[in-house]
């Protein structure tokens, strides 16, 4: 995708690590077993220290709208109700901006009763405004897999700014596993620290006439998700400069903006 590294505006919260829900990271490399995640032939770069990249399968659907199955339904029953078209990703397919797609992932879960899954989109999808969320059977929340879940996983994909070419085996989101346990004194101290969100602010100070961000262009070429470090930034993004320490945002436009704060 794009050959550019940029500080972006981030507002995040680790509220799921509050004292009401004591959890700890489950070491994937040490503890993963065939009974936990099935039907896999892992790729070399798929397993990270505390997460697993999830791969698109060959079967996908164009949906009427985004949905959640709820605690009494499987995703398969929603597909029969909301799908407009079945798609084969074996040889790739164009996902058009403004549409919603559902892709069955290659990974299945069979979690123990004290382990849950929490998913998030990979950072590259955020820079492409490619809205990607995990859905599982009986879920009433995106990107969350209940403790003890056994079943398939799906990715909801909604291209907002750019149409993209997607194919089987491409990785757009990842999942982390959390083990629920009783906390000791040290765990409580750590949770108090990480439960406080850090807020980042937009950098509007433009003393040296430097760009402070980018706005996605409205009419661009297709982005092939298989191509990494391939596209030219200027073909897809307009540079943004602040005037008198302010900018005007266009409704519906997608921006990547610099923050005043640094993260190390």
């Amino acid at each position: 995708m794009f050959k550019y590294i940029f500080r972006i505006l981030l507002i995040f919260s680790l509220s799921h690590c509050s004292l009401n829900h004591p959890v700890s990271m489950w070491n994937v490399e040490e503890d993963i077993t065939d009974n936990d995640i099935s039907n896999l032939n892992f790729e070399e770069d798929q397993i990270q220290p505390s997460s697993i990249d999830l791969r698109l399968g060959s079967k996908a659907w164009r949906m009427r709208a985004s949905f959640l199955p709820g605690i009494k339904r499987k995703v398969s029953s929603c597909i029969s109700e909301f799908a407009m078209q079945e798609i084969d990703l074996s040889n790739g397919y164009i996902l058009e901006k403004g549409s919603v797609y559902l892709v069955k992932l290659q990974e299945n879960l069979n979690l123990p009763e004290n382990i849950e899954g929490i998913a998030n989109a990979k950072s590259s999808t955020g820079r492409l405004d490619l809205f990607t969320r995990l859905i599982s059977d009986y879920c009433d929340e995106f990107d969350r897999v209940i403790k003890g879940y056994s079943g398939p996983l799906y990715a909801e994909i909604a291209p907002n700014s750019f149409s993209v070419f997607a194919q089987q085996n491409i990785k757009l989101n990842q999942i982390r596993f959390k083990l629920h346990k009783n906390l000791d004194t040290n765990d409580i101290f750590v949770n108090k620290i990480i439960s406080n969100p850090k807020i980042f602010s937009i950098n509007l100070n433009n003393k040296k006439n430097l760009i402070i961000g980018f706005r996605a262009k409205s009419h661009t070429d297709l982005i092939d998700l298989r191509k990494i470090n391939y596209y030219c930034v200027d073909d897809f993004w307009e540079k943004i400069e602040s005037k008198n320490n302010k900018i005007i945002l266009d409704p519906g436009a997608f921006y990547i903006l610099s923050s005043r704060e640094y993260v190390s």
Side-chain angles (χ1 to χ4, degrees), residues 29 41-48 53 55 171:
E29 291 182 322
N41 291 309
F42 282 119
E43 298 178 7
E44 183 177 351
D45 62 346
Q46 190 176 355
I47 301 181
Q48 310 301 326
D53 291 345
R55 300 168 297 178
K171 309 175 191 72

Side-chain angles (χ1 to χ4, degrees), residues 85-137:
Q85 175 188 7
E86 185 169 329
I87 299 166
D88 185 0
L89 293 183
S90 299
N91 297 315
Y93 190 87
I94 296 175
L95 308 184
E96 299 178 2
K97 67 176 181 180
S99 297
V100 178
Y101 300 87
L102 183 72
V103 182
K104 188 173 183 180
L105 300 174
Q106 295 185 41
E107 289 73 30
N108 297 321
L109 293 183
N110 185 20
L111 296 179
E113 291 298 326
N114 61 340
I115 290 178
E116 68 173 331
I118 298 176
N120 62 275
K122 294 172 68 68
S123 58
S124 57
T125 66
R127 292 191 293 272
L128 293 177
D129 199 18
L130 186 62
F131 203 43
T132 305
R133 301 189 287 190
L134 187 75
I135 300 177
S136 58
D137 291 342

Side-chain angles (χ1 to χ4, degrees), residues 169-186:
N169 290 325
I170 285 177
K171 309 175 191 72
L172 297 181
N173 58 349
Q174 57 194 8
I175 190 168
R176 308 184 312 280
F177 299 101
K178 293 204 170 183
L179 172 67
H180 287 244
K181 66 174 186 178
N182 295 325
L183 292 179
D184 58 25
T185 304
N186 291 331

